[in-house]
Amino acid sequence: MGGKKGLLFDVTLCIGCGACYEACKERNRLPRTVAHFLDDQLSDRTYTVVKKRGGRFIRQLCMHCEVPTCVSVCPVGALEKTATGPVIYHEARCIGCRYCMLACPFDIPKYEWGKVLPRVRKCDLCADRLAAGRPTACAEVCPTGATKFGDRQALIEEARARIRARPQKYVPRIYGLEEVGGTSVLLLSDVPFERLGYRTDLLSEPLPLLTWQVLQKIPDFVVVGSVLLGGIWWITNRRREVQIREREERKRRGASEEVSRDPSASGFVGPSQEEE
Amino acid sequence: MRWSFRRPSFWQLVFIVILGAGLYSTVIRFTRGLGASTALSDAFPWGLWIGFDVLCGVALAAGGFTLSAVVYIFNIERFRPIIRPTILTAFLGYVLVIVALLFDLGRPYRIWHPLVMWNPHSVMFEVAWCVMLYTTVLALEFSPMVFERLRLERPLRILHALTVPLVILGVILSTLHQSSLGSLYLIVPEKLHPLWYSPLLPVFFFISAIALGCAMTIFESFLSYRAFRKRLEIDLLADLGKVTVVALAVYLVLRVQDLARRDVLARALEPTYEGRMFLAETLMGVIGPILLLSIRRIRMDHFGLFVSAVLVVLGFIMNRLNVSITGMEASSGVSYFPSWTELSVTLMIVALGFAFFGLAVKYLPVFPEMERLPAPTLVEPPAVAVLRRPWIGTTPLVLILGGIFFVSAMGSAYSGLQYRERMFAPATSGEESEPEIAEGLERFEVPPDITFPQGEASPGPVTFRHASHLNWERPNCTVCHHEPFRILKASGRGAPSPARDLHDERHCGRCHDGRTSFSVKEDCTACHRP
Ligand code: SF4
Ligand code: SF4
Ligand code: SF4
C-alpha cells in the first residue's frame, strides 16, 4: 500500500472482448446503453469504452491526471485527487457549472442531461475497491492483462521493461508519463498514438498552471491596484480642492462677494457641479 | 417623465410575446432539465447562456466601472451627468447575469456554494466571487437613486462618504472580473481555435470591455434620448467615442501582434468558417469603428456616432460568441446552435433588462440634472429625425442580433458537418481490416471452469467451461456477461446453490433453448456428466 495506484493499458494485448466494459457497468450498476459494446461512447451511463481504432482495440476512460485539470477548475472543489490516485467526485458540492467538462483535456466528465437535478459522471478508478486493497473492476476481469492494475511507479518500470524487451515493436513512448503533467492511466502501443485517436498535441506541463499563473497575481493586483487608484484619487481630489479654494479666493478678492452655493450633498451627484 | 414610444401598443405586444415565450421555456427548463431544454451536450457543455448572457452581459456593464473611475477617481467632472444611467445598466447587467446563471447551472439552488466551498485555483471560483461582490457594490452605488426618491437623508450621507472606497473596490473587482472571463478559457489551449486562444485572453477581454463600456454608454444615451426625450450630451459622447478609438486601437495592435507572434495570422485569411468569423468580428467591431470614429465629422454627428457604437457592441458580442462557441466547435466535433428555449430565455432576459431600465428611468432620479432642464427644444438635424423614427433604435439591434445568430447558425451547421468527418474518420491504413489481436490471444487466460454441485434429481454434476462457450477468433465477453451473468468475482459468496434450477431462461436455458443452441430439454448427458 501507500504509493499511488494506476492502470497500464497495453494496446497490443487488447483483444476487444469487452470484459472491462461489462465489469465497469456491473460495478457501477449502470444500465445497458447499446446493442453492441463497440458502438457505445462515454456518457453518464458508460464510464469506459472499447473502440476499434487504427487497426487496434483501444480503451477510453478517465486518465486520473496527476495534476487534474478538472479538479483545478471546479469552483467548489467537487472533484478531488486522492492520495492513492483516483480523481473522485463529491456530488453534494457540485453546482453544475460544467466547467470540468469544458476543461478536461481528455473530454471525460459527462453530464446527466436527462435529469432535472443532474450530476457529473465519470470513472473513479474504483476508489472503493482500491481502498479495500482490490484492483479496479476492469483490471480484475481483463483476460489478457491488457489492462493491468498496480502501483503507478511499478507500472512505469514495467512499461519501460516491455519497451526495452521489444524495441522494434513498441512505440518508444509511455503515454501518460508526461501528458498534461502525467496521468495515473498509462498507455503502451505499437502504432503511433495519434492513429489510435489519443490526443498527442497536449502540453507536457499540467494545464492548471496556465490559469494559476494568472490567478496567483490577484492578491498583489488588488493591493497595488487599490493603492494606485487611491493615490490617483487623492492627487486629483487635492488638485480640485485647491482649484476650488483658489477660485473662491479670487471671488472674494473680486468685487462681487457672491457666496458659492453649498455643494449639494446628494449621493452620487456629488459636489462641484458648478465647475467650469 | 413619460414613456413616449411612438407605438406603445406594438412594443408592448412584442414584449409580452417575448415574455410569454421566455416563461414557457423557463417552465420547460426547470421541469424537464437541461437536456430537454437546450442544445447542449457532453461534447458542447457551454452554449448561449454562458457565451451571450454571461460573457456579454457582464461586459455590457463595463460602462459602469469605466465611467465611475473617470468621474470619481480621475475627477473628470464633465462626465458626471451620464454616470447614473451607466451604473444603472451595470447593476441591471449583473442582476441579469445572475438570473442567466440560475438557468444555466445544473443545480441552481446551490449557487451559493462557492461562498463556503472554496477552490482558489479555479477561475470560476474567482468569477463567482467577483459577480457577487461587484453586484453588491453596484447595488450600493445604485441605491442613492432609490434613497433620493424616498428622501432618506441618513443612508444617503453614509453612502456619500463611502463613494470613493466603493468606486475603487468596484474598479478593482470589475477589472478582475472582465479579465477573468477571458482567463476561463486559458485552460483549454488545445480546444479553443488558435485565432482566439491566447495567453493574453484576460488582457484582451479587459481592453475590449473598456471599449465596449464606452460604446454601450453612447448607445444607451441615444436610446434614452429617443425613448425618454433626454437631452443628448453629444460633446461628452463624442469624447467617449475618442476613448473607444484608443481602446480599440490598443486592442487591435495587441491582438495582431499576438497572432503574429504565435504564427497564426495567416489563418485569419484562410477560407474557413473560423477565418471568416474572425474577419467579420475584427472588421465590423474593431477596424470599422476605429475608422469611423477617428473622423471628427462622423464622431460629432448623431447618426455616425450611434452607428459606430452599435458596430462596436455587435463586434464585441460576436467576439464573445466566437470565443465561446465558434472557436470551440472544431475540437468538440459537433456543431452547436442554441435551441429555441435557450434563445427565448435569452431574449426574455434582454427584454427584462430594457423594461427595468425603462421603469427605473420613470420612477427614479436616473437623469437628475435633466429634470431641471426644460423639455428639449433643440432643432434637430435630419439625422436625428431619422433616429427618432420608431424603426431605428431597438429594432435594428434586434434585427442585427438576429442576423448574427442566423449567420453563425448557417456557418456552424456547415462547419459542423465538415468537422464530424474530420474527427471521427481518422485516415488510417488498418482501419477497415479487423484489429490485430494475435498477441492478445496468446496471452488470453480463459477464466476457470465452474463445477455446479449436483442437485437431488440430477443425473450428474455440470461443469461449465468458458473455453467451450467462446468464439476463439474473436472472444466477446459481453455476449453472456450482462445481467444475470455477473462478470465480477462474487466477493465471498461461494459457488452457486444446488437448490436453484439452472435450466430456466435466466441461466443455461437462456441460450440452450433449442434455437441458439441445443435445448436443456434434449440429451441430459450433454452437460450432466456422471
Ligand atoms: S482525465 Fe479529465 S476527468 Fe480525468 S482526471 Fe484528468 S482532467 Fe479529470
Ligand atoms: S460541474 Fe460540478 S464538478 Fe464540474 S466544475 Fe462545476 S461544480 Fe465542479
Ligand atoms: S477503474 Fe472502475 S470505474 Fe474506471 S473504467 Fe475501470 S471499472 Fe470502470
Side-chain angles (χ1 to χ4, degrees):
Chain A
M1 277 298 286
K4 274 192 189 153
K5 304 294 177 190
L7 292 175
L8 173 62
F9 177 65
D10 190 331
V11 172
T12 65
L13 299 181
C14 181
I15 56 171
C17 69
C20 53
Y21 171 89
E22 209 54 60
C24 182
K25 289 244 166 189
E26 191 175 310
R27 179 260 172 178
N28 293 299
R29 298 206 172 79
L30 300 171
R32 271 179 94 76
T33 37
V34 285
H36 197 288
F37 74 97
L38 283 178
D39 302 328
D40 209 357
Q41 49 182 332
L42 294 187
S43 72
D44 57 337
R45 289 169 301 163
T46 306
Y47 305 162
T48 185
V49 285
V50 179
K51 280 195 181 302
K52 236 194 259 181
R53 291 246 186 97
R56 296 288 178 278
F57 287 109
I58 61 144
R59 277 192 74 193
Q60 210 186 345
L61 72 165
C62 173
M63 302 294 283
H64 298 278
C65 310
E66 294 289 284
V67 188
T69 311
C70 59
V71 170
S72 109
V73 298
C74 178
V76 290
L79 291 154
E80 181 195 350
K81 174 83 178 171
T82 54
T84 48
V87 173
I88 59 171
Y89 173 65
H90 303 288
E91 61 181 70
R93 287 178 157 243
C94 175
I95 57 176
C97 65
R98 309 185 297 283
Y99 194 18
C100 50
M101 304 174 62
L102 186 90
C104 168
F106 302 101
D107 290 319
I108 296 300
K110 303 294 171 201
Y111 210 49
E112 293 178 321
W113 295 100
K115 294 200 181 164
V116 176
L117 295 178
R119 297 168 297 176
V120 170
R121 309 273 72 195
K122 73 171 192 69
C123 154
D124 66 348
L125 203 61
C126 291
D128 57 338
R129 293 173 64 102
L130 260 63
R134 299 167 69 199
T136 68
C138 51
E140 182 183 87
V141 299
C142 180
T144 65
T147 297
K148 187 172 175 178
F149 173 82
D151 281 316
R152 181 172 186 265
Q153 205 47 49
L155 291 175
I156 292 175
E157 295 310 323
E158 161 136 19
R160 288 212 177 103
R162 284 191 207 173
I163 294 177
R164 229 180 294 123
R166 300 173 66 185
Q168 73 288 3
K169 172 180 168 135
Y170 283 107
V171 173
R173 168 179 183 184
I174 304 173
Y175 190 100
L177 202 56
E178 284 184 339
E179 278 67 21
V180 292
T183 61
S184 298
V185 175
L186 305 160
L187 311 175
L188 274 184
S189 171
D190 59 341
V191 288
F193 286 98
E194 52 272 20
R195 265 183 52 194
L196 301 175
Y198 294 114
R199 297 202 75 130
T200 47
D201 55 349
L202 298 173
L203 300 178
S204 60
E205 82 222 34
L207 298 182
L209 289 184
L210 295 172
T211 40
W212 185 239
Q213 280 162 0
V214 176
L215 287 173
Q216 225 178 5
K217 302 198 180 103
I218 288 180
D220 289 347
F221 173 83
V222 170
V223 173
V224 173
S226 320
V227 172
L228 201 70
L229 289 176
I232 294 175
W233 170 78
W234 188 72
I235 294 171
T236 55
N237 198 46
R238 260 314 282 166
R239 197 161 57 200
R240 202 190 59 175
E241 276 170 8
V242 169
Q243 272 174 4
I244 293 175
R245 207 169 311 137
E246 276 172 359
R247 199 176 310 161
E248 278 169 12
E249 286 283 297
R250 241 180 283 129
K251 271 189 200 156
R252 208 170 303 149
R253 263 184 273 127
S256 57
E257 188 77 30
E258 200 183 310
V259 183
S260 65
R261 271 172 292 154
D262 213 31
S264 67
S266 54
F268 264 64
V269 194
S272 76
Q273 221 65 247
E274 48 274 275
E275 268 196 43
E276 329 242 321
Chain B
M1 214 168 290
R2 289 172 300 109
W3 286 82
S4 45
F5 285 127
R6 280 292 160 87
R7 286 185 286 168
S9 56
F10 173 71
W11 286 111
Q12 274 164 1
L13 200 71
V14 170
F15 183 70
I16 288 169
V17 169
I18 291 180
L19 204 63
L23 288 177
Y24 182 64
S25 303
T26 307
V27 173
I28 297 188
R29 155 68 186 90
F30 289 106
T31 54
R32 302 194 29 219
L34 282 169
S37 56
T38 67
L40 298 173
S41 63
D42 283 331
F44 215 88
W46 283 8
L48 183 72
W49 288 340
I50 297 287
F52 180 81
D53 301 31
V54 174
L55 293 191
C56 298
V58 164
L60 292 180
F65 87 90
T66 320
L67 267 191
S68 47
V70 165
V71 171
Y72 294 107
I73 297 184
F74 293 95
N75 268 308
I76 304 175
E77 290 289 331
R78 295 191 305 119
F79 288 102
R80 195 179 285 267
I82 50 174
I83 198 159
R84 281 193 164 187
T86 61
I87 286 184
L88 173 63
T89 321
F91 178 58
L92 285 178
Y94 266 67
V95 171
L96 295 176
V97 163
I98 294 178
V99 172
L101 275 177
L102 291 176
F103 276 88
D104 189 72
L105 290 180
R107 303 258 186 161
Y109 60 95
R110 290 181 179 162
I111 196 169
W112 53 275
H113 274 193
L115 284 180
V116 290
M117 303 174 187
W118 285 29
N119 178 12
H121 282 259
S122 165
V123 181
M124 185 67 81
F125 173 75
E126 190 215 326
V127 169
W129 272 83
C130 281
V131 172
M132 197 176 52
L133 290 176
Y134 193 48
T135 310
T136 314
V137 168
L138 280 171
L140 288 175
E141 289 187 345
F142 164 75
S143 60
M145 301 182 214
V146 181
F147 291 141
E148 256 173 48
R149 167 82 191 179
L150 302 176
R151 303 193 191 291
L152 294 172
E153 292 295 330
R154 262 181 75 87
L156 264 181
R157 263 197 302 278
I158 298 174
L159 277 170
H160 187 65
L162 283 178
T163 302
V164 172
L166 269 185
V167 169
I168 292 185
L169 188 61
V171 172
I172 300 269
L173 282 173
S174 32
T175 308
L176 283 178
H177 192 194
Q178 300 292 353
S179 54
S180 61
L181 289 181
S183 313
L184 279 179
Y185 288 88
L186 284 179
I187 201 92
V188 286
E190 72 297 312
K191 289 190 187 177
L192 183 55
H193 192 279
L195 281 174
W196 289 284
Y197 184 87
S198 157
L200 290 182
L201 264 175
V203 179
F204 293 153
F205 265 54
F206 177 66
I207 301 178
S208 55
I210 291 183
L212 177 85
C214 299
M216 212 33 214
T217 309
I218 298 174
F219 177 71
E220 229 166 69
S221 305
F222 272 92
L223 284 193
S224 319
Y225 162 71
R226 203 182 63 75
F228 312 112
R229 308 279 168 96
K230 292 297 152 214
R231 203 187 67 185
L232 208 50
E233 316 263 347
I234 188 74
D235 311 348
L236 280 187
L237 297 183
D239 279 354
L240 276 185
K242 273 194 215 162
V243 181
T244 314
V245 171
V246 174
L248 285 180
V250 173
Y251 175 76
L252 184 65
V253 170
L254 280 179
R255 193 91 165 74
V256 172
Q257 261 183 357
D258 171 68
L259 288 173
R261 205 182 44 231
R262 287 183 298 111
D263 258 350
V264 286
L265 199 49
R267 299 190 63 169
L269 302 174
E270 281 173 7
T272 56
Y273 171 50
E274 285 89 357
R276 262 177 265 133
M277 292 302 268
F278 174 82
L279 282 187
E281 161 201 327
T282 314
L283 289 176
M284 179 176 79
V286 184
I287 298 179
I290 291 183
L291 294 179
L292 287 175
L293 287 172
S294 318
I295 302 169
R296 188 162 186 284
R297 274 244 308 285
I298 297 183
R299 198 168 60 228
M300 298 299 289
D301 175 67
H302 286 66
F303 193 68
L305 190 58
F306 179 76
V307 166
S308 315
V310 169
L311 284 182
V312 175
V313 174
L314 290 178
F316 178 92
I317 294 177
M318 214 167 156
N319 170 261
R320 295 310 194 252
L321 289 178
N322 278 345
V323 169
S324 59
I325 297 175
T326 316
M328 297 294 286
E329 271 179 330
S331 63
S332 76
V334 296
S335 59
Y336 163 83
F337 185 76
S339 68
W340 70 268
T341 329
E342 288 172 272
L343 285 170
S344 60
V345 165
T346 298
L347 267 181
M348 173 178 76
I349 291 179
V350 173
L352 284 177
F354 274 100
F356 280 121
F357 190 87
L359 285 180
V361 171
K362 194 170 173 188
Y363 292 111
L364 298 173
V366 177
F367 297 96
E369 304 82 26
M370 305 289 143
E371 272 169 328
R372 289 186 234 127
L373 290 171
T377 49
L378 300 164
V379 184
E380 289 174 355
V384 181
V386 171
L387 258 179
R388 281 194 157 220
R389 273 191 224 133
W391 50 266
I392 206 130
T394 344
T395 327
L397 177 74
V398 173
L399 287 183
I400 299 173
L401 274 183
I404 290 190
F405 285 137
F406 181 70
V407 171
S408 26
M410 298 312 290
S412 55
Y414 162 75
S415 68
L417 288 177
Q418 285 187 322
Y419 289 125
R420 232 176 251 132
E421 280 164 29
R422 206 182 301 163
M423 290 284 293
F424 296 117
T428 49
S429 45
E431 190 58 51
E432 282 85 46
S433 61
E434 275 301 295
E436 174 70 49
I437 57 172
E439 189 161 342
L441 285 181
E442 268 165 42
R443 305 261 203 116
F444 188 27
E445 270 180 41
V446 187
D449 296 346
I450 301 168
T451 305
F452 297 94
Q454 188 173 1
E456 264 170 34
S458 167
V462 173
T463 298
F464 170 82
R465 286 178 227 288
H466 270 100
S468 59
H469 286 82
L470 263 177
N471 169 3
W472 278 91
E473 311 272 283
R474 271 290 310 277
N476 179 351
C477 309
T478 70
V479 171
C480 311
H481 282 296
H482 44 261
E483 297 294 334
F485 300 110
R486 294 179 59 88
I487 189 169
L488 289 175
K489 280 183 198 132
S491 44
R493 258 192 287 120
S497 145
R500 226 186 302 144
D501 183 7
L502 300 177
H503 291 117
D504 64 18
E505 73 287 349
R506 291 181 56 236
H507 302 94
C508 303
R510 190 183 184 99
C511 297
H512 289 286
D513 57 358
R515 272 173 293 138
T516 315
S517 182
F518 64 87
S519 167
V520 284
K521 301 199 175 88
E522 285 167 26
D523 180 12
C524 298
T525 56
C527 306
H528 293 273
R529 302 272 164 78

